[in-house]
Amino acid sequence: HVQLVESGGGLVQAGGSLKLSCVASQFTFSSSRSCMGWFRQAPGKDREGVAHIDSDGKWNAESLKGRSTISTDDANNTLDLQIDSLQPEDTAVYYCAVLSQFNHCRGVFVGIWQRYAPWGQGTQVTVS
């Protein structure tokens, strides 16, 4: 079965950058005809979508207002999210997840987290 493992989180000062990675096993995203999303959840808040990419390579990270880049490393089956100019309000657990309904998500950012599965365990980002 598909497994996702996130990494790259940590403690960073405001204005700094982080590169989050999501490694997939039993799943080759580039040929999957699916989409992947990055979500985050802060304490006491609902899970929110922050970035999306489909297996055609079209991506969207508008919710991070030009501070992020999403990319794939097909050789290592990895999805990366680079976030710059981090602010304390970016503090959250960041997750990656798969949305297999390609016809619904191709080129379209589906921010409804309940439609995604499976999920990784998350990586904590703390901005001081």
Side-chain angles (χ1 to χ4, degrees):
H1 60 283
V2 177
Q3 289 188 319
L4 305 174
V5 178
E6 301 94 334
S7 63
L11 175 64
V12 62
Q13 291 186 340
S17 300
L18 281 176
K19 183 178 182 179
L20 308 181
S21 294
C22 171
V23 178
S25 60
Q26 306 301 316
F27 176 69
T28 303
F29 177 60
S30 61
S31 60
S32 66
R33 290 184 60 79
S34 66
C35 304
M36 294 190 72
W38 279 99
F39 290 76
R40 66 185 180 186
Q41 188 164 19
K45 295 187 176 181
D46 200 4
R47 194 166 295 190
E48 65 167 339
V50 296
H52 158 280
I53 187 169
D54 65 31
S55 51
D56 287 343
K58 187 171 182 179
W59 63 273
N60 178 305
E62 291 183 2
S63 63
L64 291 174
K65 300 177 183 178
R67 298 187 290 121
S68 67
T69 303
I70 190 170
S71 61
T72 59
D73 177 351
D74 293 342
N76 294 302
N77 219 22
T78 299
L79 176 68
D80 294 325
L81 178 67
Q82 171 82 28
I83 310 175
D84 301 318
S85 302
L86 283 158
Q87 299 301 315
E89 53 265 34
D90 294 316
T91 295
V93 179
Y94 284 71
Y95 301 89
C96 63
V98 175
L99 178 58
S100 58
Q101 298 162 311
F102 189 59
N103 289 341
H104 294 172
C105 64
R106 185 180 189 183
V108 177
F109 190 168
V110 178
I112 305 171
W113 67 266
Q114 293 90 340
R115 294 181 65 181
Y116 289 74
W119 291 79
Q121 84 291 346
T123 185
Q124 175 72 50
V125 172
T126 303
V127 185
S128 62

